[in-house]
Amino acid sequence: SMQSSYIELLLDLPWDNKSNDNFDLKNAIKVLDGDHYGLDKVKERIVEHLAVLKIKGDLKAPIICLYGPPGVGKTSLGRSIADALGRKYVRMSLGGLRDESEIRGHRKTYIGAMPGKLINNLKKVGTSNPVFVLDEIDKIGRSGHGDPSSALLEVLDPEQNDTFQDNFVEIEYDLSKVLFIATANDLSTIQPALRDRMEIISINGYTIEEKIQIAKKHLMPKLLKDHGIDKDKIKINQNILEKVITSYTNESGVRGLDKKLAKLIRNRAKQIAFEEEYDVIISKEDVFKSLGPGMDPRKYSEHIIPGVVTGLAWTRTGGDILFIESSKTVGKGKLTLTGNLGDVMKESAVIALEYLKANGSKFGIKQKEIDESNFHIHVPEGATPKDGPSAGVTMITALASSITGKKVKKYLAMTGEITLRGEVLPIGGVKEKILAAKRAGIKFILLPDANKKDVDDIKLNYLKGLSFKYVKRMEEVIKYSLV
């Protein structure tokens, strides 16, 4: 029975069976634009790949890794790419995979031996060049049964995967025609050798304007179809959509928004089923009745005392603003930190104070004044853990403000890391941070000079009403931010 199942597998595998690619690039752009709003970089990359395939006719498929927060459309992009190319689509979830043999298969000497999931999926799909989505590649586990992420090294190397060997099949199989697309939420958990084999394409969160368009063009039509409700029985205006987005969801993607809109539609379905009277257009009262009071989006509030600075943070759900407070009391130069801070932020605070001790004279701060005072830095919302290398400039500005008694410039937010020499280092998540600042009503943003290129990548209409100051050293930060 083992030999017969082995021979059946060999006969079922699509050794040379390929689907013909659709090289109509205009159609590909139309399909990608129809399925996903925004995501210009990803679409451009896919169209480039198609263009090379059209000219050369053959290309060792590169491994694309779509990296970004949950709910931004990474997995569904794989299906759109398959539709645009005219290829078959196959998806394999790697979340929690702990056994190497699930990738490479078991040796035939074991009872109940089976081929790996890769070979099995290719057998099911019936072509040797599908679009193959490796979902959640950052969540592969490890156990005593080997390391699956190491087994993926051969699969995801375009130079090696034309001779992929499954332990069960024992004959080399060519995977180089497969277009692999991996998805990940966190690159730090992917082992470096595996990360090196993939082309990382970052998918940032959506702006409020983009979310409104996604809700209108994609989420609402799909939800109405799923709930069996005609589109003339429920209408949501743009201002109500914006209210749902800002007050009921706090995320980069649109998964939470999808759930909230589904709740509104279910409420309408109940009204229809009970034959109640209702207004077709959803009102603020309907939203309150269905979704509850909601939350107030965090807004900038004017700092009326010295020592309070607005920082910009990047979280798993996107960008956010963060208030950092500092106070000075009579003491012996002791520094106290509160607000559930991680090690990196604690170190930033220590560096900030040491820098002011060494260079205070530049800002009119006397060494004696620091030695005879205690300092307390607090980041509100103590229940939320906070960490990351982007609060250094905010902490040093807060300390300088409380020591000198000067207030921080109004409507200013800042982000950046510092060194003991006083240099300002670049940080990540710039787009999300800028969008968070705009939502909160910030007008001026202070950024490290090395992050200027990240701002140049953002569409100009998202930057309307914002002005930027780029800095290289701490002297510039303090000079610009204190008034």
Side-chain angles (χ1 to χ4, degrees), residues 172-355:
E172 288 176 351
Y173 190 90
D174 185 1
L175 291 175
S176 66
K177 298 181 191 75
V178 179
L179 179 56
F180 286 105
I181 294 172
T183 72
N185 299 132
D186 184 6
L187 292 180
S188 63
T189 56
I190 305 174
Q191 64 156 291
L194 188 57
R195 197 164 65 220
D196 187 51
R197 280 162 166 77
M198 300 186 289
E199 183 182 340
I200 309 288
I201 298 177
S202 178
I203 300 180
N204 296 313
Y206 296 112
T207 63
I208 292 171
E209 293 83 0
E210 283 175 329
K211 284 185 183 179
I212 289 168
Q213 293 302 321
I214 291 165
K216 279 182 182 175
K217 292 177 181 177
H218 301 287
L219 301 183
M220 284 302 289
K222 182 178 174 290
L223 287 169
L224 290 172
K225 188 182 171 187
D226 291 348
H227 290 79
I229 293 176
D230 295 333
K231 60 180 180 184
D232 57 353
K233 295 206 172 149
I234 183 168
K235 283 190 169 56
I236 302 182
N237 293 334
Q238 187 157 320
N239 59 339
I240 295 294
L241 268 178
E242 193 171 330
K243 169 82 178 160
V244 172
I245 291 163
T246 53
S247 298
Y248 295 91
T249 65
N250 179 24
E251 53 173 358
S252 294
V254 290
R255 204 169 278 153
L257 175 61
D258 189 58
K259 289 173 191 167
K260 299 296 179 191
L261 293 175
K263 194 159 171 45
L264 286 173
I265 290 170
R266 284 198 303 274
N267 194 49
R268 177 52 46 88
K270 189 178 81 172
Q271 290 172 329
I272 294 167
F274 277 100
E275 297 179 358
E276 296 174 10
E277 280 189 22
Y278 60 85
D279 188 357
V280 173
I281 297 168
I282 296 281
S283 64
K284 282 186 180 177
E285 289 71 32
D286 294 330
V287 172
F288 183 82
K289 204 167 144 187
S290 294
L291 305 179
M295 57 188 178
D296 287 328
R298 189 177 295 182
K299 288 281 181 190
Y300 170 81
S301 55
E302 200 174 305
H303 310 316
I304 50 171
I305 57 165
V308 185
V309 186
T310 307
L312 296 173
W314 185 82
T315 65
R316 292 252 172 133
T317 57
D320 205 356
I321 66 167
L322 195 73
F323 298 113
I324 291 183
E325 306 167 349
S326 76
S327 66
K328 182 185 84 162
T329 53
V330 177
K332 294 180 179 177
K334 187 183 164 194
L335 177 65
T336 308
L337 302 169
T338 54
N340 202 350
L341 306 182
D343 292 340
V344 178
M345 283 182 86
K346 285 177 182 174
E347 287 173 6
S348 294
V350 173
I351 291 168
L353 187 60
E354 291 303 319
Y355 176 80

Side-chain angles (χ1 to χ4, degrees), residues 103-152:
I103 305 287
R104 282 193 176 278
H106 305 85
R107 299 195 182 281
K108 288 202 298 292
T109 48
Y110 298 115
I111 293 168
M114 292 184 300
K117 283 187 173 182
L118 272 161
I119 293 291
N120 248 336
N121 278 313
L122 290 172
K123 178 186 134 187
K124 275 183 206 167
V125 82
T127 60
S128 61
N129 66 338
V131 172
F132 202 125
V133 174
L134 298 167
D135 226 353
E136 312 290 5
I137 200 166
D138 56 327
K139 295 175 185 66
I140 296 177
R142 258 187 148 161
S143 72
H145 298 287
D147 178 12
S149 61
S150 297
L152 277 173

Side-chain angles (χ1 to χ4, degrees), residues 24-40:
D24 185 348
L25 299 185
K26 286 179 181 171
N27 178 61
I29 293 168
K30 193 178 171 186
V31 169
L32 291 168
D33 284 342
D35 291 350
H36 291 85
Y37 186 84
L39 308 181
D40 299 330

Side-chain angles (χ1 to χ4, degrees), residues 82-97:
D83 291 342
L85 281 163
R87 290 188 183 189
K88 294 276 186 76
Y89 168 79
V90 58
R91 178 183 161 274
M92 172 178 159
S93 180
L94 298 174
L97 196 81

